[in-house]
Amino acid sequence: MNRHHWWRDAVIYQVYVRSFLDSTGDGIGDLAGVRTGLPYLKKLGVDGIWLSPFYPSPQHDHGYDVADYTGVDPVFGDLAEFDLLVATARRLGVRVLLDIVPNHCSSEHPWFRAALDAAPDSPERARFHFADGRGPDGAEPPNNWHAMFGGPAWTRVTEADGRPGQWYLHMFTPEQPDWNWREPAVAAEFDRVLRFWLDRGVDGFRIDVAAGLYKHPRLPDSPDPEADARTRDSVNPLAWNQPEVHDVWRHWRTVCEEYTARDGRERLLVGEVSVPTAREHARYVRPDELHQAFFFDLLGAPWDADAFRKVISEAMQDIAGTGSTVTWVLNNHDQVRTVTRYGEPTPDGSGLGPARARAAALLMLALPGAAYIYQGEELGLPEVVDLPDDVLTDPIFHRTGSRARIRDGCRVPLPWSGQASPFGFTSGAEGVRPWLPQPEWFAEHATDRALADTRSFWHLYRDGLQLRWALEQLGEGTLRWLDTQPGVLAFSRGDDLVCAVNFGTAPVPAPVAGTPLLASGPCPPGTLPGSTAGWWIDGS
């Protein structure tokens, strides 16, 4: 593997800070807890971590409503603790990526507060999307756009004289006003933010809503105004994926390369890019733009060999063709956990979901390029689907009244040890509970039990990661598809490594002790043409 360009085949672990490990006993994970968990992640074998937002925030969307981009919310620690975390990670050889949110901020951000206090057409309001309303007395929103988290994408303000005034744009919630990137002051401010954290030693940034930032300059009506809310994705072509956004990533790339030139450490930009096709996705990872962008199509593919082959082929053709590598993901903090998404597990942990999640994980680790793992996936955690309404925190639930596609179930704090909640997540005083309740069955997935059981998801991930380092064929490179019987997906990496996945129709081989953990056993006869020199992943 090409270790000079570390990011090209890196495996990064996403840390959802408030749910990882609590060091202060208040029931909320924090930066010191992440630092405590670094040896665990080093043992797992990941190359780096991506930290969810820990900046000062009123937490209307758990930190994705940022009030101060260069601070640490006291609930998570302080800058001294952050510096200690970075230093510890550096000593262990673990890279640190920060989550940066350039599309929108918090309604408590000082610049937005100043905009509310200022007059229409003022420089303060120019940093956001303020506009006059339509209809009598401007009582209707400036256009018909809907927010992704439900409701209209506009909120009307009360002016200083007490009268109803202009409207401001928010593509998520009213507490998250969108920045106006056509205003130069906004770009200059984010330059300052990038340099602040790069000066503190971070290795790069995960960019939230990377296809956003610019809106159509005239803010016209959408022909499908409910598209964003209906799909809960950035599909409104007037609000997302505007051509000017590429100029931002070209500039940010030069900033990163400036720091790389100083000390030889490559800084990484990885974008959350939601666009309709792999070809459009590829535009974001051209040599002078983002290094990587998450390829979500694999995450969204149904459990079907042909569907997986199609999305993998498109990614290899369109994205790898730019000179970048594909960035594979199966889960993150916004998605139903893999074990549940692939099929509800039974109470004893068996069923289709776990087998398919294990197969998908090893398939992902065998693909060329980089991979991101969401915390708890290495424990085989299912989604918590029965949280009571009164503990739900997701703004989607509070804005729509619906539990459909809410995200609390994948954000329940991790179980570390023991037989009952809080499972070692927090050592707070009696009565202090994790910020979201953990179910009793989390005991079956606790880290201490996973480490002790060589058949666990944790060992599957750890052994797969070790193979990526040990086998030159894995990581960066290409693949060659092999003809197989129906329901089996197979490809070769190099001359002497084959990955074959059973999607449910092929005969299942008996596991063979001592076989590499790229598979659960040797390929059954007849699965691959002319040879059984490969390894079999059973997802049936």
Side-chain angles (χ1 to χ4, degrees), residues 345-379:
T346 56
D348 65 357
S350 63
L352 291 176
R356 291 174 175 178
R358 291 169 70 93
L362 291 175
L363 168 64
M364 178 178 71
L365 294 177
L367 291 171
Y372 281 67
I373 301 169
Y374 178 51
Q375 70 178 36
E377 291 293 290
E378 82 283 6
L379 301 176

PDB file of all heavy atoms in Angstrom, residues 345-379:
ATOM      1  N   PRO A 345     -32.256  -8.704  13.821  1.00  0.00           N
ATOM      2  CA  PRO A 345     -31.681  -9.857  14.520  1.00  0.00           C
ATOM      3  C   PRO A 345     -32.676 -10.452  15.504  1.00  0.00           C
ATOM      4  O   PRO A 345     -33.563  -9.757  16.008  1.00  0.00           O
ATOM      5  CB  PRO A 345     -30.482  -9.249  15.253  1.00  0.00           C
ATOM      6  CG  PRO A 345     -30.854  -7.813  15.448  1.00  0.00           C
ATOM      7  CD  PRO A 345     -31.684  -7.430  14.256  1.00  0.00           C
ATOM      8  N   THR A 346     -32.542 -11.740  15.779  1.00  0.00           N
ATOM      9  CA  THR A 346     -33.359 -12.402  16.782  1.00  0.00           C
ATOM     10  C   THR A 346     -32.803 -12.084  18.165  1.00  0.00           C
ATOM     11  O   THR A 346     -31.685 -11.578  18.296  1.00  0.00           O
ATOM     12  CB  THR A 346     -33.353 -13.918  16.542  1.00  0.00           C
ATOM     13  OG1 THR A 346     -31.999 -14.371  16.535  1.00  0.00           O
ATOM     14  CG2 THR A 346     -33.987 -14.246  15.208  1.00  0.00           C
ATOM     15  N   PRO A 347     -33.570 -12.348  19.246  1.00  0.00           N
ATOM     16  CA  PRO A 347     -33.096 -12.006  20.597  1.00  0.00           C
ATOM     17  C   PRO A 347     -31.745 -12.615  20.945  1.00  0.00           C
ATOM     18  O   PRO A 347     -30.985 -12.022  21.727  1.00  0.00           O
ATOM     19  CB  PRO A 347     -34.211 -12.561  21.493  1.00  0.00           C
ATOM     20  CG  PRO A 347     -35.440 -12.509  20.645  1.00  0.00           C
ATOM     21  CD  PRO A 347     -34.974 -12.829  19.260  1.00  0.00           C
ATOM     22  N   ASP A 348     -31.412 -13.777  20.388  1.00  0.00           N
ATOM     23  CA  ASP A 348     -30.125 -14.391  20.719  1.00  0.00           C
ATOM     24  C   ASP A 348     -28.987 -13.877  19.845  1.00  0.00           C
ATOM     25  O   ASP A 348     -27.866 -14.374  19.901  1.00  0.00           O
ATOM     26  CB  ASP A 348     -30.206 -15.915  20.615  1.00  0.00           C
ATOM     27  CG  ASP A 348     -30.474 -16.403  19.186  1.00  0.00           C
ATOM     28  OD1 ASP A 348     -30.656 -15.546  18.285  1.00  0.00           O
ATOM     29  OD2 ASP A 348     -30.509 -17.628  18.982  1.00  0.00           O
ATOM     30  N   GLY A 349     -29.270 -12.851  19.007  1.00  0.00           N
ATOM     31  CA  GLY A 349     -28.224 -12.254  18.192  1.00  0.00           C
ATOM     32  C   GLY A 349     -28.018 -12.922  16.853  1.00  0.00           C
ATOM     33  O   GLY A 349     -27.152 -12.519  16.083  1.00  0.00           O
ATOM     34  N   SER A 350     -28.815 -13.946  16.541  1.00  0.00           N
ATOM     35  CA  SER A 350     -28.680 -14.626  15.261  1.00  0.00           C
ATOM     36  C   SER A 350     -29.604 -13.959  14.246  1.00  0.00           C
ATOM     37  O   SER A 350     -30.084 -12.864  14.453  1.00  0.00           O
ATOM     38  CB  SER A 350     -28.989 -16.111  15.418  1.00  0.00           C
ATOM     39  OG  SER A 350     -30.337 -16.285  15.835  1.00  0.00           O
ATOM     40  N   GLY A 351     -29.861 -14.644  13.143  1.00  0.00           N
ATOM     41  CA  GLY A 351     -30.726 -14.091  12.126  1.00  0.00           C
ATOM     42  C   GLY A 351     -29.923 -13.543  10.965  1.00  0.00           C
ATOM     43  O   GLY A 351     -28.694 -13.565  10.940  1.00  0.00           O
ATOM     44  N   LEU A 352     -30.635 -13.036   9.960  1.00  0.00           N
ATOM     45  CA  LEU A 352     -29.991 -12.569   8.746  1.00  0.00           C
ATOM     46  C   LEU A 352     -29.135 -11.333   8.968  1.00  0.00           C
ATOM     47  O   LEU A 352     -28.068 -11.198   8.361  1.00  0.00           O
ATOM     48  CB  LEU A 352     -31.056 -12.269   7.689  1.00  0.00           C
ATOM     49  CG  LEU A 352     -31.812 -13.460   7.105  1.00  0.00           C
ATOM     50  CD1 LEU A 352     -32.897 -12.973   6.161  1.00  0.00           C
ATOM     51  CD2 LEU A 352     -30.846 -14.383   6.373  1.00  0.00           C
ATOM     52  N   GLY A 353     -29.613 -10.409   9.783  1.00  0.00           N
ATOM     53  CA  GLY A 353     -28.907  -9.141   9.942  1.00  0.00           C
ATOM     54  C   GLY A 353     -27.448  -9.289  10.342  1.00  0.00           C
ATOM     55  O   GLY A 353     -26.558  -8.737   9.681  1.00  0.00           O
ATOM     56  N   PRO A 354     -27.141  -9.999  11.421  1.00  0.00           N
ATOM     57  CA  PRO A 354     -25.730 -10.131  11.824  1.00  0.00           C
ATOM     58  C   PRO A 354     -24.868 -10.814  10.768  1.00  0.00           C
ATOM     59  O   PRO A 354     -23.741 -10.372  10.514  1.00  0.00           O
ATOM     60  CB  PRO A 354     -25.816 -10.959  13.111  1.00  0.00           C
ATOM     61  CG  PRO A 354     -27.177 -10.656  13.666  1.00  0.00           C
ATOM     62  CD  PRO A 354     -28.050 -10.519  12.463  1.00  0.00           C
ATOM     63  N   ALA A 355     -25.360 -11.876  10.146  1.00  0.00           N
ATOM     64  CA  ALA A 355     -24.557 -12.567   9.133  1.00  0.00           C
ATOM     65  C   ALA A 355     -24.272 -11.647   7.953  1.00  0.00           C
ATOM     66  O   ALA A 355     -23.141 -11.593   7.440  1.00  0.00           O
ATOM     67  CB  ALA A 355     -25.283 -13.830   8.661  1.00  0.00           C
ATOM     68  N   ARG A 356     -25.279 -10.911   7.529  1.00  0.00           N
ATOM     69  CA  ARG A 356     -25.084 -10.007   6.401  1.00  0.00           C
ATOM     70  C   ARG A 356     -24.183  -8.835   6.776  1.00  0.00           C
ATOM     71  O   ARG A 356     -23.362  -8.395   5.954  1.00  0.00           O
ATOM     72  CB  ARG A 356     -26.437  -9.500   5.914  1.00  0.00           C
ATOM     73  CG  ARG A 356     -27.273 -10.580   5.243  1.00  0.00           C
ATOM     74  CD  ARG A 356     -28.671 -10.079   4.897  1.00  0.00           C
ATOM     75  NE  ARG A 356     -29.409 -11.089   4.143  1.00  0.00           N
ATOM     76  CZ  ARG A 356     -30.668 -10.933   3.736  1.00  0.00           C
ATOM     77  NH1 ARG A 356     -31.328  -9.813   4.032  1.00  0.00           N
ATOM     78  NH2 ARG A 356     -31.257 -11.892   3.043  1.00  0.00           N
ATOM     79  N   ALA A 357     -24.320  -8.311   7.997  1.00  0.00           N
ATOM     80  CA  ALA A 357     -23.460  -7.211   8.428  1.00  0.00           C
ATOM     81  C   ALA A 357     -22.002  -7.641   8.501  1.00  0.00           C
ATOM     82  O   ALA A 357     -21.095  -6.879   8.145  1.00  0.00           O
ATOM     83  CB  ALA A 357     -23.927  -6.687   9.785  1.00  0.00           C
ATOM     84  N   ARG A 358     -21.751  -8.865   8.962  1.00  0.00           N
ATOM     85  CA  ARG A 358     -20.382  -9.380   9.003  1.00  0.00           C
ATOM     86  C   ARG A 358     -19.820  -9.503   7.578  1.00  0.00           C
ATOM     87  O   ARG A 358     -18.690  -9.098   7.295  1.00  0.00           O
ATOM     88  CB  ARG A 358     -20.351 -10.749   9.694  1.00  0.00           C
ATOM     89  CG  ARG A 358     -20.639 -10.696  11.192  1.00  0.00           C
ATOM     90  CD  ARG A 358     -20.853 -12.089  11.764  1.00  0.00           C
ATOM     91  NE  ARG A 358     -19.602 -12.855  11.775  1.00  0.00           N
ATOM     92  CZ  ARG A 358     -18.769 -12.914  12.817  1.00  0.00           C
ATOM     93  NH1 ARG A 358     -19.062 -12.256  13.929  1.00  0.00           N
ATOM     94  NH2 ARG A 358     -17.669 -13.626  12.744  1.00  0.00           N
ATOM     95  N   ALA A 359     -20.633 -10.041   6.676  1.00  0.00           N
ATOM     96  CA  ALA A 359     -20.177 -10.197   5.300  1.00  0.00           C
ATOM     97  C   ALA A 359     -19.916  -8.843   4.651  1.00  0.00           C
ATOM     98  O   ALA A 359     -18.915  -8.657   3.951  1.00  0.00           O
ATOM     99  CB  ALA A 359     -21.213 -10.986   4.498  1.00  0.00           C
ATOM    100  N   ALA A 360     -20.825  -7.886   4.876  1.00  0.00           N
ATOM    101  CA  ALA A 360     -20.661  -6.562   4.271  1.00  0.00           C
ATOM    102  C   ALA A 360     -19.405  -5.872   4.797  1.00  0.00           C
ATOM    103  O   ALA A 360     -18.703  -5.183   4.043  1.00  0.00           O
ATOM    104  CB  ALA A 360     -21.894  -5.707   4.553  1.00  0.00           C
ATOM    105  N   ALA A 361     -19.120  -6.028   6.082  1.00  0.00           N
ATOM    106  CA  ALA A 361     -17.930  -5.399   6.657  1.00  0.00           C
ATOM    107  C   ALA A 361     -16.663  -5.924   6.007  1.00  0.00           C
ATOM    108  O   ALA A 361     -15.763  -5.150   5.626  1.00  0.00           O
ATOM    109  CB  ALA A 361     -17.894  -5.634   8.163  1.00  0.00           C
ATOM    110  N   LEU A 362     -16.575  -7.240   5.857  1.00  0.00           N
ATOM    111  CA  LEU A 362     -15.372  -7.807   5.262  1.00  0.00           C
ATOM    112  C   LEU A 362     -15.293  -7.514   3.768  1.00  0.00           C
ATOM    113  O   LEU A 362     -14.203  -7.315   3.224  1.00  0.00           O
ATOM    114  CB  LEU A 362     -15.320  -9.307   5.523  1.00  0.00           C
ATOM    115  CG  LEU A 362     -15.093  -9.671   6.995  1.00  0.00           C
ATOM    116  CD1 LEU A 362     -15.168 -11.170   7.190  1.00  0.00           C
ATOM    117  CD2 LEU A 362     -13.752  -9.141   7.485  1.00  0.00           C
ATOM    118  N   LEU A 363     -16.439  -7.467   3.105  1.00  0.00           N
ATOM    119  CA  LEU A 363     -16.443  -7.044   1.706  1.00  0.00           C
ATOM    120  C   LEU A 363     -15.889  -5.624   1.579  1.00  0.00           C
ATOM    121  O   LEU A 363     -15.028  -5.347   0.735  1.00  0.00           O
ATOM    122  CB  LEU A 363     -17.859  -7.113   1.154  1.00  0.00           C
ATOM    123  CG  LEU A 363     -18.102  -6.436  -0.206  1.00  0.00           C
ATOM    124  CD1 LEU A 363     -17.302  -7.138  -1.299  1.00  0.00           C
ATOM    125  CD2 LEU A 363     -19.580  -6.430  -0.543  1.00  0.00           C
ATOM    126  N   MET A 364     -16.380  -4.705   2.424  1.00  0.00           N
ATOM    127  CA  MET A 364     -15.905  -3.321   2.366  1.00  0.00           C
ATOM    128  C   MET A 364     -14.393  -3.247   2.581  1.00  0.00           C
ATOM    129  O   MET A 364     -13.684  -2.515   1.884  1.00  0.00           O
ATOM    130  CB  MET A 364     -16.628  -2.473   3.411  1.00  0.00           C
ATOM    131  CG  MET A 364     -16.164  -1.016   3.450  1.00  0.00           C
ATOM    132  SD  MET A 364     -17.057  -0.008   4.659  1.00  0.00           S
ATOM    133  CE  MET A 364     -16.401  -0.669   6.202  1.00  0.00           C
ATOM    134  N   LEU A 365     -13.885  -4.007   3.554  1.00  0.00           N
ATOM    135  CA  LEU A 365     -12.458  -3.963   3.846  1.00  0.00           C
ATOM    136  C   LEU A 365     -11.629  -4.594   2.735  1.00  0.00           C
ATOM    137  O   LEU A 365     -10.419  -4.348   2.652  1.00  0.00           O
ATOM    138  CB  LEU A 365     -12.180  -4.652   5.179  1.00  0.00           C
ATOM    139  CG  LEU A 365     -12.762  -3.961   6.413  1.00  0.00           C
ATOM    140  CD1 LEU A 365     -12.474  -4.779   7.669  1.00  0.00           C
ATOM    141  CD2 LEU A 365     -12.234  -2.537   6.556  1.00  0.00           C
ATOM    142  N   ALA A 366     -12.243  -5.403   1.887  1.00  0.00           N
ATOM    143  CA  ALA A 366     -11.528  -6.007   0.764  1.00  0.00           C
ATOM    144  C   ALA A 366     -11.539  -5.130  -0.480  1.00  0.00           C
ATOM    145  O   ALA A 366     -10.806  -5.412  -1.430  1.00  0.00           O
ATOM    146  CB  ALA A 366     -12.129  -7.373   0.432  1.00  0.00           C
ATOM    147  N   LEU A 367     -12.362  -4.078  -0.507  1.00  0.00           N
ATOM    148  CA  LEU A 367     -12.468  -3.230  -1.689  1.00  0.00           C
ATOM    149  C   LEU A 367     -11.300  -2.253  -1.779  1.00  0.00           C
ATOM    150  O   LEU A 367     -10.739  -1.845  -0.758  1.00  0.00           O
ATOM    151  CB  LEU A 367     -13.787  -2.451  -1.657  1.00  0.00           C
ATOM    152  CG  LEU A 367     -15.064  -3.267  -1.857  1.00  0.00           C
ATOM    153  CD1 LEU A 367     -16.289  -2.402  -1.588  1.00  0.00           C
ATOM    154  CD2 LEU A 367     -15.114  -3.846  -3.266  1.00  0.00           C
ATOM    155  N   PRO A 368     -10.932  -1.832  -2.987  1.00  0.00           N
ATOM    156  CA  PRO A 368      -9.861  -0.843  -3.132  1.00  0.00           C
ATOM    157  C   PRO A 368     -10.290   0.518  -2.593  1.00  0.00           C
ATOM    158  O   PRO A 368     -11.420   0.948  -2.809  1.00  0.00           O
ATOM    159  CB  PRO A 368      -9.651  -0.768  -4.651  1.00  0.00           C
ATOM    160  CG  PRO A 368     -10.346  -1.953  -5.222  1.00  0.00           C
ATOM    161  CD  PRO A 368     -11.455  -2.288  -4.285  1.00  0.00           C
ATOM    162  N   GLY A 369      -9.396   1.194  -1.890  1.00  0.00           N
ATOM    163  CA  GLY A 369      -9.681   2.535  -1.411  1.00  0.00           C
ATOM    164  C   GLY A 369      -9.718   2.622   0.093  1.00  0.00           C
ATOM    165  O   GLY A 369      -9.113   1.822   0.805  1.00  0.00           O
ATOM    166  N   ALA A 370     -10.433   3.636   0.588  1.00  0.00           N
ATOM    167  CA  ALA A 370     -10.521   3.914   2.013  1.00  0.00           C
ATOM    168  C   ALA A 370     -11.875   3.462   2.554  1.00  0.00           C
ATOM    169  O   ALA A 370     -12.819   3.232   1.792  1.00  0.00           O
ATOM    170  CB  ALA A 370     -10.327   5.402   2.277  1.00  0.00           C
ATOM    171  N   ALA A 371     -11.963   3.342   3.882  1.00  0.00           N
ATOM    172  CA  ALA A 371     -13.219   2.921   4.510  1.00  0.00           C
ATOM    173  C   ALA A 371     -13.397   3.650   5.833  1.00  0.00           C
ATOM    174  O   ALA A 371     -12.416   3.952   6.521  1.00  0.00           O
ATOM    175  CB  ALA A 371     -13.231   1.409   4.740  1.00  0.00           C
ATOM    176  N   TYR A 372     -14.662   3.920   6.178  1.00  0.00           N
ATOM    177  CA  TYR A 372     -15.007   4.572   7.441  1.00  0.00           C
ATOM    178  C   TYR A 372     -15.950   3.652   8.213  1.00  0.00           C
ATOM    179  O   TYR A 372     -16.897   3.103   7.649  1.00  0.00           O
ATOM    180  CB  TYR A 372     -15.669   5.929   7.192  1.00  0.00           C
ATOM    181  CG  TYR A 372     -14.672   7.021   6.852  1.00  0.00           C
ATOM    182  CD1 TYR A 372     -13.957   6.980   5.661  1.00  0.00           C
ATOM    183  CD2 TYR A 372     -14.432   8.080   7.720  1.00  0.00           C
ATOM    184  CE1 TYR A 372     -13.035   7.969   5.344  1.00  0.00           C
ATOM    185  CE2 TYR A 372     -13.511   9.076   7.410  1.00  0.00           C
ATOM    186  CZ  TYR A 372     -12.817   9.007   6.221  1.00  0.00           C
ATOM    187  OH  TYR A 372     -11.894   9.992   5.916  1.00  0.00           O
ATOM    188  N   ILE A 373     -15.681   3.502   9.500  1.00  0.00           N
ATOM    189  CA  ILE A 373     -16.445   2.614  10.381  1.00  0.00           C
ATOM    190  C   ILE A 373     -17.110   3.469  11.458  1.00  0.00           C
ATOM    191  O   ILE A 373     -16.432   4.239  12.152  1.00  0.00           O
ATOM    192  CB  ILE A 373     -15.533   1.569  11.048  1.00  0.00           C
ATOM    193  CG1 ILE A 373     -14.822   0.710   9.998  1.00  0.00           C
ATOM    194  CG2 ILE A 373     -16.328   0.701  12.017  1.00  0.00           C
ATOM    195  CD1 ILE A 373     -13.722  -0.146  10.576  1.00  0.00           C
ATOM    196  N   TYR A 374     -18.409   3.336  11.616  1.00  0.00           N
ATOM    197  CA  TYR A 374     -19.119   4.066  12.674  1.00  0.00           C
ATOM    198  C   TYR A 374     -19.000   3.321  13.999  1.00  0.00           C
ATOM    199  O   TYR A 374     -19.099   2.095  14.050  1.00  0.00           O
ATOM    200  CB  TYR A 374     -20.592   4.232  12.286  1.00  0.00           C
ATOM    201  CG  TYR A 374     -21.432   4.933  13.326  1.00  0.00           C
ATOM    202  CD1 TYR A 374     -21.031   6.148  13.861  1.00  0.00           C
ATOM    203  CD2 TYR A 374     -22.616   4.370  13.766  1.00  0.00           C
ATOM    204  CE1 TYR A 374     -21.801   6.796  14.821  1.00  0.00           C
ATOM    205  CE2 TYR A 374     -23.405   5.010  14.714  1.00  0.00           C
ATOM    206  CZ  TYR A 374     -22.984   6.224  15.241  1.00  0.00           C
ATOM    207  OH  TYR A 374     -23.750   6.853  16.201  1.00  0.00           O
ATOM    208  N   GLN A 375     -18.794   4.063  15.067  1.00  0.00           N
ATOM    209  CA  GLN A 375     -18.591   3.438  16.375  1.00  0.00           C
ATOM    210  C   GLN A 375     -19.739   2.485  16.718  1.00  0.00           C
ATOM    211  O   GLN A 375     -20.908   2.762  16.456  1.00  0.00           O
ATOM    212  CB  GLN A 375     -18.443   4.494  17.458  1.00  0.00           C
ATOM    213  CG  GLN A 375     -19.701   5.277  17.788  1.00  0.00           C
ATOM    214  CD  GLN A 375     -19.483   6.279  18.909  1.00  0.00           C
ATOM    215  OE1 GLN A 375     -18.437   6.888  19.033  1.00  0.00           O
ATOM    216  NE2 GLN A 375     -20.494   6.452  19.754  1.00  0.00           N
ATOM    217  N   GLY A 376     -19.376   1.341  17.304  1.00  0.00           N
ATOM    218  CA  GLY A 376     -20.353   0.332  17.670  1.00  0.00           C
ATOM    219  C   GLY A 376     -20.600  -0.703  16.601  1.00  0.00           C
ATOM    220  O   GLY A 376     -21.102  -1.795  16.896  1.00  0.00           O
ATOM    221  N   GLU A 377     -20.247  -0.397  15.346  1.00  0.00           N
ATOM    222  CA  GLU A 377     -20.385  -1.413  14.299  1.00  0.00           C
ATOM    223  C   GLU A 377     -19.455  -2.584  14.572  1.00  0.00           C
ATOM    224  O   GLU A 377     -19.778  -3.731  14.267  1.00  0.00           O
ATOM    225  CB  GLU A 377     -20.093  -0.792  12.928  1.00  0.00           C
ATOM    226  CG  GLU A 377     -21.137   0.194  12.449  1.00  0.00           C
ATOM    227  CD  GLU A 377     -22.464  -0.474  12.143  1.00  0.00           C
ATOM    228  OE1 GLU A 377     -22.550  -1.215  11.158  1.00  0.00           O
ATOM    229  OE2 GLU A 377     -23.429  -0.249  12.906  1.00  0.00           O
ATOM    230  N   GLU A 378     -18.283  -2.282  15.163  1.00  0.00           N
ATOM    231  CA  GLU A 378     -17.329  -3.348  15.477  1.00  0.00           C
ATOM    232  C   GLU A 378     -17.806  -4.220  16.632  1.00  0.00           C
ATOM    233  O   GLU A 378     -17.202  -5.268  16.924  1.00  0.00           O
ATOM    234  CB  GLU A 378     -15.943  -2.758  15.779  1.00  0.00           C
ATOM    235  CG  GLU A 378     -15.740  -2.241  17.183  1.00  0.00           C
ATOM    236  CD  GLU A 378     -16.383  -0.888  17.481  1.00  0.00           C
ATOM    237  OE1 GLU A 378     -17.112  -0.353  16.612  1.00  0.00           O
ATOM    238  OE2 GLU A 378     -16.133  -0.354  18.580  1.00  0.00           O
ATOM    239  N   LEU A 379     -18.894  -3.818  17.293  1.00  0.00           N
ATOM    240  CA  LEU A 379     -19.515  -4.634  18.341  1.00  0.00           C
ATOM    241  C   LEU A 379     -20.758  -5.358  17.832  1.00  0.00           C
ATOM    242  O   LEU A 379     -21.389  -6.102  18.586  1.00  0.00           O
ATOM    243  CB  LEU A 379     -19.891  -3.750  19.533  1.00  0.00           C
ATOM    244  CG  LEU A 379     -18.745  -2.977  20.197  1.00  0.00           C
ATOM    245  CD1 LEU A 379     -19.288  -2.070  21.295  1.00  0.00           C
ATOM    246  CD2 LEU A 379     -17.688  -3.919  20.742  1.00  0.00           C
TER     247      LEU A 379
END
